[in-house]
């Protein structure tokens, strides 16, 4: 570091001083941020209590299982062999706001529901002639309390009391709810009607009008209802086909993910030898791309130089191609790209030495990963812990949402009747003992589920507990990520500060670092995670408010909301950057979070140019690596699953897939996650070695008493050397 750099960086604190006892992560350390550790433990204990209380009071069966009109679950208990619920007239769910939401709530549709073994598979409508009820209706689709073989009720009376359905249509189970099959609705029989019953005619006509003769949706009187039914069924059909594709290609998907893992590992290990070539190819490739852009803009500008079209002639339009016919557009592009090319060339000329340092650090990171291969497995530990956090949060949210006993009200299925309006929703009832004959003036009444009881102390605070659930979840997730970063930083720091590599690297560095982080620094990690959690929660609140009041916002309020969201997004990114470097300092020196964050920030600010160069060079290299892994494996998956590549003697045939893009997307997404896991370890290694390198420059001078710990390649770039022989 030159004198000018030392003077300009003096305001960011004094450089680190030589310590003869320091040779890597300090082992004799004490617990840090104890107050925050106690607070975090208390929050975890409270989180467990909330989960236990939710488990005691909640009943997720209300969401997972459908229920019949008597409040009994389908698929469990007495109805174990009847997993599906049949709605007598599904279109009456239009009294709710959404047919699928009403169906999933089980009892909010004001129509009789019964548990059935299988959904109807044919069109059927009751013929109201003077014969016995058992010859008109099917027992399996009637309410269990009605015995068709012994009843004295006429078919008309049974329909009036809604004890049996008037009609059935071909249906398929969607999450245990029998919903009309879209394909069958295209072939509705012409005699599927019943004159004389307006309500039946309306329902049947609505079903007929749901689709046209060619299966294309029309514009019916109730589009929302049919759209929900059709879309729900389509989703179910697509889901079944996707499941079939997974079942027939899962082993090939696993092979694709294994290839992605091997390519990621090979790429990281080869960076030790190919990093200089790759980085310079990427840099000059970027310069070449910009240079081609300059030439292309000049060529387009030359083509339109005689054009009389200007921006004032075009005005404002959404057709972008019109602007590309204006010569001033290409002139503006030409100027912008020329300035960018000049900046890149100047940066390359004046910062070439720092680029060489970045390349050397990247090569050193590859060596460190090669010596400690166990670090590449650690993301699995983080992944498992994150899955536990997500699963606990989801289960707790589900149990909290179903806490409290269900409340039923007397509801008239035909609320237009004058005698029914006075009792509609005014009385509580028990679906197991409800008797509609108690209301002779309103024969269409039924006992309907309304909501869950919210009168108890626990139930009155469900909203607050859900907020606590979100906060605790975010805190736990951020803590798990912080633990992973601190653990990896401690392992890689022990590599850097080993004077003779690899002989001086301590045994089991990753395990030792993990134990140190858990034993001494839970409070510091929780402190950094808490700060990040607060910012993330504020962002969630802003997103909620923006969504809630979007319709009522004017231009000024939208601008303010946009600024707030942008500011907190930037703040979150900055805190993540600061936390990451603070965890590295905690792993090395064992100090509390605030001191570590301050020292890391000051150290980086004293070397801000090196920080920017290393960050951008590393980002460019890792972006290329992810592109290579994901793009290469994705292209291979495309050619294989589309049938363009066939393995000799391969039993797999692309024709057996319903959607060949399903395994392709799965492989691409999985490859990205795998590459992200490997490269995150590598990125953490680069950041750790970089901070150690900066500390090394400030602490040592290469003398016998204060030798450098950096590699010979780094010392060669900096024109420095040790007076003590160093083995590598």
């Amino acid at each position: 570091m030159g004198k000018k750099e030392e003077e300009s960086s003096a305001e960011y604190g004094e450089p680190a001083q030589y310590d003869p006892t320091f040779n890597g992560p300090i082992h004799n350390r004490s617990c840090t941020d104890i107050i925050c550790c106690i607070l975090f433990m208390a929050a975890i204990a409270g989180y467990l209590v909330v989960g236990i209380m939710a488990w005691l009071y909640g009943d997720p069966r209300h969401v997972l299982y459908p229920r019949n009109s008597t409040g009994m679950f389908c698929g469990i208990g007495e109805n174990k062999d009847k997993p599906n619920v049949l709605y007598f007239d599904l279109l009456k769910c239009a009294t709710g706001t959404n047919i699928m939401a009403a169906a999933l709530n089980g009892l909010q549709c004001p129509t009789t529901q019964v548990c059935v073994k299988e959904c109807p598979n044919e069109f059927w409508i009751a013929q109201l002639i003077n014969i016995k009820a058992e010859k008109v209706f099917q027992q399996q689709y009637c309410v269990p309390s009605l015995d068709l073989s012994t009843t004295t009720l006429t078919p008309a009376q049974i329909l009036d009391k809604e004890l049996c359905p008037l009609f059935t249509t071909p249906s398929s189970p969607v999450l245990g709810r029998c919903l009309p099959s879209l394909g069958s609705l295209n072939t509705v029989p012409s005699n599927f009607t019943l004159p004389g019953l307006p309500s039946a005619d309306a329902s049947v006509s609505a079903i007929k009008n749901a689709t046209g003769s060619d299966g294309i949706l029309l514009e019916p009187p109730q589009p929302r209802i049919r759209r929900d039914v059709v879309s729900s069924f389509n989703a179910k059909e697509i889901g079944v086909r996707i499941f079939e594709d997974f079942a027939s290609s899962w082993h090939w998907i696993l092979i694709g993910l294994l290839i992605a893992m091997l390519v990621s590992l090979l790429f990281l290990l080869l960076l030790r030898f190919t990093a200089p070539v790759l980085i310079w190819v990427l840099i000059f490739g970027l310069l070449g791309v910009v240079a081609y852009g300059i030439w292309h803009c000049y060529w387009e500008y030359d083509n339109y130089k005689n054009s009389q079209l200007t921006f004032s002639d075009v005005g404002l339009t959404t057709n972008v191609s019109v602007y590309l016919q204006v010569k001033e557009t290409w002139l503006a592009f030409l100027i912008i790209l020329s300035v960018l090319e000049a900046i890149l060339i100047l940066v390359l000329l004046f910062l070439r030495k720092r680029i060489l340092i970045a390349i050397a650090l990247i090569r050193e990171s590859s060596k460190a990963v090669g010596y400690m291969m166990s670090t590449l497995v650690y993301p699995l530990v983080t992944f498992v812990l994150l899955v536990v956090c997500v699963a606990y949060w989801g289960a707790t949210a589900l149990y909290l949402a179903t806490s409290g006993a269900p409340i039923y009200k007397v509801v008239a299925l035909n609320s237009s009747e004058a005698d029914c309006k006075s009792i509609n929703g005014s009385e509580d009832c028990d679906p197991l003992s409800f008797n509609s004959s108690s209301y002779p003036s309103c024969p269409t009444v039924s006992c309907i589920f309304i909501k869950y009881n919210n009168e108890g102390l626990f139930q009155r605070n469900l909203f607050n507990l859900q907020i606590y659930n979100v906060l605790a979840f975010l805190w736990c997730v951020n803590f798990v990520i912080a633990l992973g970063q601190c653990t990896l930083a401690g392992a890689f720091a022990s590599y850097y500060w080993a004077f003779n590599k690899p002989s001086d690297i301590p045994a089991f560095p990753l395990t030792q670092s993990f134990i140190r982080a858990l034993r001494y620094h839970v409070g510091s990690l929780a402190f950094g995670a808490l700060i990040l959690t607060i910012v993330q929660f504020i962002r969630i609140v802003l997103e909620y408010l923006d969504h809630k009041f979007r319709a009522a916002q004017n231009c000024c309020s939208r601008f303010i909301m946009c600024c707030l969201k942008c500011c907190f997004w930037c703040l979150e990114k900055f805190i993540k950057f600061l936390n990451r470097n603070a965890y590295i300092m905690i792993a090395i020196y064992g100090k509390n979070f605030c001191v570590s964050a301050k020292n890391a920030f000051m150290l980086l600010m004293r070397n801000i140019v090196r920080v920017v160069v290393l960050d951008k060079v590393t980002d460019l290299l890792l972006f290329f690596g992810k592109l290579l892994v994901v793009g290469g494996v994705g292209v291979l998956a495309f050619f294989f699953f589309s049938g363009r590549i066939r393995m000799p003697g391969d039993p797999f045939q692309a024709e057996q897939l319903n959607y060949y893009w399903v395994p392709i997307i799965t492989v691409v997404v999985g490859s990205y996650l795998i590459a992200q896991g490997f490269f995150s370890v590598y990125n953490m290694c680069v950041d750790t070695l970089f901070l150690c390198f900066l500390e090394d420059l400030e602490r040592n001078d290469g003398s016998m008493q204060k030798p450098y710990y950096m590699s010979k390649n780094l010392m060669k770039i900096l024109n420095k050397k040790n007076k003590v022989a160093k083995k590598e």
Side-chain angles (χ1 to χ4, degrees):
M1 186 183 292
K3 292 183 178 180
K4 291 184 178 180
E5 287 183 284
E6 292 180 354
E7 292 175 359
S8 61
S9 62
E11 60 180 306
Y12 297 112
E14 295 295 328
Q17 301 300 316
Y18 171 70
D19 183 1
T21 63
F22 178 77
N23 61 351
I26 297 173
H27 293 276
N28 297 324
R29 55 180 72 194
S30 58
C31 295
T32 56
D33 295 304
I34 298 176
I35 295 177
C36 195
C37 178
I38 296 173
L39 181 62
F40 181 64
M41 294 301 177
I44 295 297
Y47 200 18
L48 294 176
V49 170
V50 170
I52 294 173
M53 295 293 291
W55 180 75
L56 292 175
Y57 284 97
D59 188 357
R61 294 181 303 173
H62 296 305
V63 177
L64 301 178
Y65 295 97
R67 295 162 58 143
N68 62 15
S69 296
T70 62
M72 300 183 67
F73 293 105
C74 300
I76 57 175
E78 297 181 7
N79 296 315
K80 186 176 181 180
D81 59 338
K82 300 178 180 179
N84 305 310
V85 65
L86 173 67
Y87 301 88
F88 280 11
D89 190 352
L90 187 60
L91 295 177
K92 286 187 178 179
C93 294
T95 54
T97 57
N98 182 285
I99 192 170
M100 192 60 187
L104 291 178
N105 280 325
L107 296 176
Q108 287 183 330
C109 279
T111 185
T112 304
Q113 299 133 77
V114 294
C115 296
V116 296
K117 185 176 182 179
E118 295 180 351
C119 296
N121 57 7
E122 62 180 358
F123 288 98
W124 170 87
I125 194 165
Q127 300 298 320
L128 299 184
I129 56 179
N130 191 19
I131 59 175
K132 291 184 178 181
E134 62 180 336
K135 295 184 179 181
V136 176
F137 304 104
Q138 303 179 54
Q139 181 67 58
Q140 60 178 328
Y141 299 139
C142 296
V143 296
S145 60
L146 176 67
D147 188 351
L148 292 176
S149 62
T150 60
T151 183
T152 59
L153 298 175
T154 64
Q157 291 173 328
I158 290 176
L159 290 177
D160 187 54
K161 294 179 179 293
E162 285 205 15
L163 300 178
C164 291
L166 170 64
F167 61 89
T168 63
T169 62
S171 305
S172 300
V174 179
L175 299 177
R177 283 80 178 173
C178 294
L179 298 181
S181 301
L182 177 61
S184 300
L185 290 179
N186 294 333
T187 57
V188 180
S190 59
N191 62 347
F192 188 58
T193 183
L194 188 61
L197 289 179
S199 60
D201 284 342
S203 298
V204 173
S205 300
I207 294 176
K208 284 185 174 181
N209 293 334
T211 57
S213 58
D214 56 355
I216 301 175
L217 281 177
L218 304 176
E219 292 296 331
Q222 295 173 322
R224 175 186 296 175
I225 301 171
R226 278 178 292 280
R227 185 165 56 246
D228 290 333
V229 174
V230 170
S231 62
S232 300
F233 177 74
N234 277 339
K236 182 260 181 184
E237 282 290 307
I238 293 174
V240 170
R241 293 178 181 178
I242 290 175
F243 180 80
E244 292 174 351
D245 291 342
F246 278 123
S248 60
S249 62
W250 65 269
H251 47 291
W252 294 107
I253 292 175
L254 291 181
I255 292 176
L257 298 180
L258 179 62
I259 293 175
M261 184 177 67
L262 294 177
V263 172
S264 299
L265 178 61
L266 185 63
F267 180 83
L268 294 181
L269 295 179
L270 288 179
L271 283 180
R272 177 176 177 179
F273 310 102
T274 61
V277 177
L278 280 177
I279 291 175
W280 287 117
V281 167
L282 290 174
I283 291 175
F284 284 108
L286 180 61
L287 290 173
V289 169
V290 178
Y292 171 78
I294 293 174
W295 174 84
H296 182 77
C297 291
Y298 175 78
W299 181 76
E300 292 285 357
Y301 176 76
D302 187 62
N303 288 338
Y304 290 106
K305 64 181 180 180
N306 296 324
S307 174
Q308 302 298 321
L309 189 64
T310 62
F311 281 116
S312 58
D313 298 328
V314 174
L316 294 177
T317 178
T318 56
N319 188 0
V320 180
S321 60
V322 176
Y323 292 109
L324 298 180
Q325 300 175 13
V326 181
K327 63 180 180 181
E328 283 80 5
T329 301
W330 296 106
L331 180 61
F333 287 160
L334 177 64
I335 295 173
I336 293 172
L337 290 178
S338 299
V339 172
L340 178 61
E341 183 81 350
I343 292 174
L344 290 175
I345 293 175
L346 291 175
V347 167
L348 185 62
L349 292 175
F350 289 100
L351 300 179
R352 62 187 183 281
K353 187 173 182 180
R354 289 180 171 84
I355 294 176
L356 293 175
I357 294 175
I359 294 174
L361 282 170
I362 290 173
R363 295 181 64 185
E364 195 70 12
S365 298
S366 299
K367 292 173 62 177
V369 172
Y371 287 131
M372 295 182 293
M373 296 291 289
S374 59
T375 56
L376 294 175
V377 184
Y378 186 82
L380 292 178
V381 178
T382 301
F383 176 76
V384 170
L385 293 177
L386 290 177
V387 168
V388 171
C389 292
V390 173
Y392 185 82
W393 165 78
T396 302
L398 179 61
Y399 274 90
L400 284 174
T402 57
S403 296
I407 296 177
Y408 299 88
K409 295 284 187 180
V410 178
V411 177
L413 301 181
N414 187 2
S415 59
S416 61
E417 298 178 8
D419 295 334
C420 297
K421 293 182 179 180
S422 59
I423 62 172
N424 196 14
S426 61
E427 301 180 21
D428 295 336
C429 60
D430 183 359
L432 297 177
S433 60
F434 179 75
N435 188 359
S436 60
S437 60
S438 302
Y439 302 88
S441 60
C442 186
T444 61
V445 294
S446 181
C447 190
I448 302 298
F449 168 76
I450 299 299
K451 63 177 181 178
Y452 295 104
N453 180 25
N454 57 1
E455 295 179 358
L457 177 63
F458 181 77
Q459 287 75 22
R460 286 200 303 268
N461 291 278
L462 286 180
F463 180 75
N464 297 330
L465 292 176
Q466 288 286 19
I467 292 178
Y468 182 80
N469 185 27
V470 173
L471 282 171
F473 165 71
L474 292 175
W475 198 359
C476 289
V477 167
N478 289 324
F479 175 81
V480 169
I481 296 174
L483 177 63
Q485 293 176 345
C486 188
T487 300
L488 292 173
F492 292 127
S494 64
Y495 164 84
Y496 184 93
W497 295 109
F499 190 73
N500 294 312
K501 304 174 180 65
S503 58
D504 289 346
I505 299 176
F508 307 108
L510 185 66
T511 304
Q512 290 187 29
S513 179
F514 181 76
I515 294 174
R516 283 197 303 269
L518 280 183
R519 181 178 178 183
Y520 298 107
H521 306 303
V522 170
S524 297
L525 300 180
F527 192 7
L530 177 61
I531 297 174
L532 183 58
T533 297
I534 293 173
V535 176
Q536 290 175 338
F537 184 74
I538 294 174
R539 289 193 63 201
I540 293 174
V541 172
L542 288 175
E543 291 290 347
Y544 173 78
L545 294 176
D546 186 33
H547 175 75
K548 195 74 173 177
F549 303 108
R550 181 177 296 272
Q553 291 178 354
N554 53 30
C555 295
C556 182
S557 60
R558 281 197 295 269
F559 174 76
I560 295 175
M561 181 62 70
C562 183
C563 291
L564 287 174
K565 290 164 64 176
C566 180
C567 290
F568 277 97
W569 179 84
C570 295
L571 181 61
E572 181 183 354
K573 294 297 181 182
F574 173 75
I575 290 176
K576 284 183 177 179
F577 171 78
L578 188 63
N579 283 2
R580 184 184 182 89
N581 291 282
Y583 298 147
I584 295 174
M585 287 298 196
I586 290 171
I588 299 175
Y589 301 106
K591 297 182 180 180
N592 62 49
F593 177 82
C594 292
V595 173
S596 299
K598 175 187 174 184
N599 292 341
F601 181 75
M602 294 299 182
L603 179 62
L604 293 174
M605 291 303 296
R606 291 196 295 269
N607 301 270
I608 187 62
V609 178
R610 285 174 177 161
V611 172
V612 174
V613 172
L614 178 72
D615 185 58
K616 297 310 172 187
V617 170
T618 305
D619 287 347
L620 181 64
L621 184 62
L622 295 185
F623 172 76
F624 173 76
K626 292 178 185 177
L627 188 65
L628 178 67
V629 173
V630 178
V633 176
V635 170
L636 181 64
F638 171 77
F639 280 101
F640 178 77
F641 289 111
S642 62
R644 290 171 171 81
I645 296 179
R646 294 187 183 273
M647 304 290 290
D650 176 22
F652 174 79
Q653 299 292 331
E655 291 78 10
Q656 69 190 41
L657 294 175
N658 296 300
Y659 310 108
Y660 69 85
W661 47 264
V662 170
I664 295 175
I665 292 177
T666 305
V667 170
V668 169
V669 173
S671 300
Y672 175 79
L673 294 177
I674 290 173
Q676 181 68 20
F678 277 99
F679 287 25
S680 64
V681 173
Y682 190 82
N683 203 5
M684 195 69 202
C685 181
V686 173
D687 290 346
T688 302
L689 296 188
F690 180 57
L691 283 183
C692 293
F693 164 73
L694 298 179
E695 287 270 343
D696 193 11
L697 284 177
E698 294 184 352
R699 285 178 177 274
N700 306 309
D701 57 9
S703 62
M704 294 287 291
Q705 296 78 17
K706 299 187 288 184
Y708 290 116
Y709 285 79
M710 69 184 72
S711 64
K712 292 181 179 179
N713 190 24
L714 278 169
M715 286 190 286
K716 181 180 179 181
I717 295 172
L718 296 172
N719 294 322
K720 298 180 182 294
K721 62 180 180 178
N722 275 337
K723 295 182 180 179
V724 181
K726 187 177 181 182
K727 299 178 182 179
E728 289 193 15

